[in-house]
């Protein structure tokens, strides 16, 4: 959830939505409660909810842009900023917390030189903390692009980062 | 020729992350290359529960249980065990002596109703579910029972909501059934937000049809024709398995129009959550399905009267629903014979934390915590001392050693100041600081508070600040008084369960671990060393032999000293990570 980038003013440009996303919106347009499902699709495609796409969705679904902004910033899952090409998510559920999830975050911050919810200058990596990903038996756990790494110690992190870099 | 041997490979999330997919494909390839494909079937199943020992592979009919299997082992399992009947001893749990599941203590005290098919069937194949009496309950209900009969069996069973609060399921169904409306809904709450809990995820991944079948039964009982499963977007595998299950059920006419030719229509749609803990609350969940911010509204009216899109709606949790087909088939009385006076059936727990056998377990209500942690869980990791068990996550509380023999049910846990919760069971040892853990829970609830009502929004933040003061050495006796005042206000005045229960972890730990808070406040000391601001590391000159290990481990290079001479920590640069304390083999690094 990021609250410091309000979508104000007019879009930078109008955007052509990709074919399948466009079709999905048409399909869901008349169904009640469609907004969150559409936003999921948007984020699946772009990796986040870009400003100009939000304008387009608002127009197509006929909902106020403020409503979209309200929903996007309410739910942790939605992002307003483009994440890195490789997204590292460190689990901070209780089991992982007890077993040193925090140390993993600190070590990653040192290795990558960025803080939580930031992206490296070359756009390769971003780090986020997530709530339980449901692998508590493997704590502490992190995922890179959805791939789970469990039973971690912090000296394994440099290798994991190296493995994904450029990949 | 029918298959005579089966190899079950766990494809739950934890095993999946340990290359179980690769194990599956290598097993399949090896079976083919050995010419065994007519005789041996390799199946990807849901979670076996024994996550700490994953990836897990089981061979039937002899029930041989292999643990920590690696892809390289696949060839040997096929060549030795399947082809020649000689189990691969080095992969058996606990060495050669324990070959079968029945011999493994982790499973001996378990009793599986909810997880009956997890680790047994291929969740992506409806035929396997049907072969295990799947959809038989739905057929029975639709052909020979009235909605009243169905609710009566659920009433007799004594089934209570497994999401945490323990409200009798039959009452929810009755209220919804009696509500006057031509359109009603059934919602399955699969927004498992409690950090440290993954019961619902594993159930959906391992046996998705059991939930779909139960939703159709619930629909029939209350008069609904549409169901929604509200599931976390963070559970991609569970979503995938549900999508497959929905498609297969529709193809066979077990969902959709005119189910089994009985004239009953019922279909289910998935709706994705987006990472908001508060959406586990019924009214917030409804708001989220409707496409809004997930903010709760005051109850009554309850969803049973005015729910989704203003229509009567019954909302049940995944685990609650997974019990329903069994209750119908075996009868409410059978179900009621399991458990305690007030809590019937079983409970699934995600047993995690500092316990040897982390995993997913299902035990009859009334099992004691000691049995769960020491018999099933195999005791505390690394021979450390048990400190506390936490149930109910950010809404629950801690249970100290003196109450380990309490039988688990809704009432006895509530009496201890905790709650049953959804099934997170986290074990803490002597290295964990109670104040620090509670600060963690409060940070969670503060972060997840929707901000609608002031008691939760402001109260949570205030409590968090008070605890931060205590962990950083600014605590006073007044802090504890203030915590009680704020907690009382939050419990009484918050709009929904999130705020009302947020003070529980702190209050229960003050009851049982008040002394630990006192030491933090009065002596400015953290006995477990977790609260870094209260800890100082020094090297005892008379014990240090100058081996230089601590200096090499120190990440900020603040330990100096000549080889074979006592070392010294530069406290001005020490970040109190404790690496030197852990590294020293001579007890020369002191934590105070």
């Amino acid at each position: 959830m990021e609250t410091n980038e309000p979508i104000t003013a007019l879009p930078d440009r109008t955007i052509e939505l990709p074919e399948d996303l466009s079709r999905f919106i048409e399909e869901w347009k008349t169904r009640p409660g469609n907004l969150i499902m559409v936003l999921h699709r948007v984020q699946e495609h772009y990796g986040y909810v870009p400003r100009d796409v939000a304008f387009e969705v608002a127009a197509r679904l006929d909902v106020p842009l403020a409503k979209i902004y309200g929903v996007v910033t309410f739910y942790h899952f939605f992002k307003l900023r483009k994440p890195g090409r490789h997204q590292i998510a460190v689990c901070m559920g209780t089991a992982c917390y007890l077993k040193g999830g925090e140390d993993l975050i600190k070590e990653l911050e040192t290795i990558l030189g960025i803080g939580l919810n930031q992206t490296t200058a070359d756009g390769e990596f971003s780090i986020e903390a997530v709530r339980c990903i449901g692998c508590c038996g493997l704590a502490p756990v992190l995922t890179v692009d959805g791939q789970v790494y469990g039973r971690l110690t912090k000296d394994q992190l440099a290798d994991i980062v190296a493995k994904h870099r450029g990949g | 020729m029918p298959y005579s041997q089966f190899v079950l490979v766990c494809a739950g999330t934890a095993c999946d992350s340990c290359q179980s997919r690769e194990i599956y494909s290598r097993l399949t390839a090896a079976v083919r290359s050995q010419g065994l494909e007519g005789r041996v079937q390799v199946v990807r199943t849901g979670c076996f529960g024994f996550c700490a020992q994953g990836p897990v592979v089981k061979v039937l009919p002899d029930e041989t249980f292999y643990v920590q299997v690696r892809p390289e082992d696949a060839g040997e399992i096929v060549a030795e065990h399947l082809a020649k009947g000689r189990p691969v001893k080095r992969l058996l749990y606990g060495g050669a002596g324990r070959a079968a599941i029945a011999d493994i203590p982790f499973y001996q005290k378990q009793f599986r109703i909810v997880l009956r098919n997890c680790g047994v069937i291929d969740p992506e194949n409806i035929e396997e579910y049907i072969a295990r009496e799947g959809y038989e309950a739905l057929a029975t209900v639709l052909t020979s029972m009235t909605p009243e009969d169905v609710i009566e069996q659920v009433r007799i069973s004594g089934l209570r909501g497994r999401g945490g609060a323990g409200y009798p399921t039959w009452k929810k169904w009755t209220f919804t059934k009696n509500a006057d409306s031509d359109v009603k809904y059934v919602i399955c709450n699969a927004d498992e937000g409690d950090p440290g809990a993954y019961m619902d995820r594993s159930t959906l991944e391992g046996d998705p049809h059991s939930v779909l079948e139960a939703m159709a039964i619930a629909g029939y009982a209350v008069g609904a024709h549409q169901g929604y499963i509200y599931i976390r977007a963070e559970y991609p595998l569970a979503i995938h398995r549900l999508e497959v299950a929905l498609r297969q059920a529709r193809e066979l006419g077990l969902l959709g129009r005119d189910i089994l030719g009985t004239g009953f229509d019922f279909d289910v749609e998935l709706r994705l959550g987006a990472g908001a803990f508060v959406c586990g609350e019924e009214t917030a969940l409804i708001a989220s399905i409707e496409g809004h911010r997930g903010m709760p509204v005051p109850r009554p009216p309850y969803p049973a009267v005015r729910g989704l899109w203003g229509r009567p709606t019954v909302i049940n949790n995944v685990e609650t629903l997974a019990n329903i087909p069994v209750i119908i088939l075996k009868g409410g009385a059978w179900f009621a014979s399991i458990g305690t006076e007030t809590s019937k059936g079983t409970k699934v727990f995600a047993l995690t934390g500092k316990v040897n056998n982390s995993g997913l377990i299902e035990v009859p209500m009334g099992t004691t915590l000691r049995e769960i942690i020491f018999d099933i869980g195999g005791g505390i990791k690394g021979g450390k001392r048990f400190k506390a068990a936490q149930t109910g996550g950010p809404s629950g509380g801690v249970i100290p050693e003196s109450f380990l023999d309490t039988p688990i049910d809704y009432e006895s846990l509530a009496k201890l100041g905790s709650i049953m919760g959804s099934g997170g069971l986290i074990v803490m040892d002597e290295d964990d600081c109670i104040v620090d853990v509670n600060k963690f829970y409060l940070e969670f609830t503060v972060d997840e508070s929707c901000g609608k009502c002031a008691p939760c929004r402001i109260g949570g933040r205030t409590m968090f600040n008070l605890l931060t003061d205590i962990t950083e050495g600014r605590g006073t006796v007044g802090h504890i008084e203030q915590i009680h005042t704020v907690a009382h206000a939050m419990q009484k005045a918050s709009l929904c369960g999130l705020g009302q229960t947020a003070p529980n972890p702190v209050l229960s730990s003050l009851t049982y671990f008040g002394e630990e808070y006192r030491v933090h406040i009065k002596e400015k000391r953290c006995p477990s060393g977790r609260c870094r601001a209260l800890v100082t590391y020094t090297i005892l000159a008379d014990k240090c032999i100058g081996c230089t290990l601590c200096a090499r481990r120190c990440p900020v290079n603040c330990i100096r000293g000549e080889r074979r001479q006592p070392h010294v920590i530069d406290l001005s640069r020490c970040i109190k990570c404790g690496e030197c304390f852990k590294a020293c083999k001579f007890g020369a690094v002191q934590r105070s």
Side-chain angles (χ1 to χ4, degrees), chain A residues 28 31-33 36-37 40 67 70 74-77 92 94 97-99 131-136 138 148 151, chain B residues 13 17 52 195-196 201 232-233 269 271-275 288 290 292-294 309 352-353 436 440-441 444 447-448:
Chain A
W28 278 76
R31 292 165 77 169
I36 290 174
M37 297 304 278
H40 270 296
K67 162 112 188 183
F74 182 84
Y75 294 98
H76 294 281
F77 194 79
M92 283 292 273
T94 316
Y97 177 78
L98 290 180
K99 290 189 176 172
R131 298 306 182 191
C132 192
I133 51 173
C135 297
C136 312
L138 302 177
V148 181
R151 300 190 188 106
Chain B
T13 294
S17 72
R201 162 185 209 148
R232 298 181 71 193
E269 200 175 279
R271 289 299 173 107
L272 304 188
S288 184
E290 290 174 350
H292 310 300
R293 292 162 71 103
W309 291 302
T352 63
D436 177 67
F440 166 80
Y441 279 123
F444 179 86
D447 197 29
E448 295 295 340

